[in-house]
Amino acid sequence: QVQLVESGGGLVQAGGSLRLSCAASGRIFSSYAMGWFRQAPGKERELVAANRRTVGAIYYGDFVKGRFTISGDNAKNTVYLQMNSLKPEDTAVYYCAADSSGGWSDRDYDYWGQGTQVTVSS
């Protein structure tokens, strides 16, 4: 079993930055794919960023446009999402996800954190 705990969400003004963290524990391996997804009220969950380490691929949602960066610290079993130039439309609950293979869809991930709220004010 894998446990994921997100942190770092909060309220920020438009144009500001936040860094989300996802601490992983349990039976997780450094080769696991790690992803960030988000869900805004009334909308479907969508990919923000994913790192598929087994194939050496990193994906970003189309809306990211160079504003966000996914990174990780294998020694700490932690994945980060650095978000810059935040916009009000980035307001959502952000979820961390993990899977032995992963992909660009939320259906590709077996393990999920509880989510952290990000609110961007205009």
Side-chain angles (χ1 to χ4, degrees), residues 43-64:
K43 294 188 177 181
E44 292 186 353
R45 190 159 52 186
E46 62 180 348
L47 171 73
V48 179
N51 185 354
R52 293 187 66 195
R53 291 180 277 192
T54 54
V55 298
I58 295 178
Y59 308 119
Y60 289 98
D62 290 342
F63 60 87
V64 170

Side-chain angles (χ1 to χ4, degrees), residues 2 6 8 28-29 35 37 42 44 47 49 53 57 62 65-66 68 73 85 92 97 105 107 120:
V2 173
E6 303 99 333
I28 188 165
F29 301 95
F37 291 79
E44 292 186 353
L47 171 73
R53 291 180 277 192
D62 290 342
K65 299 187 186 302
F68 300 174
D73 185 334
S85 302
S105 168
R107 298 185 297 272
V120 184

Side-chain angles (χ1 to χ4, degrees), residues 2 12 14 20-21 29 32 39-41 47 50 63 65 67 71 83 86-87 91 95 101-102 122:
V2 173
V12 65
L20 305 184
S21 299
F29 301 95
Y32 267 39
Q39 188 166 23
L47 171 73
F63 60 87
K65 299 187 186 302
R67 300 181 298 131
S71 63
M83 303 188 295
L86 284 162
K87 305 175 182 179
T91 295
Y95 297 91
S101 58
S122 57

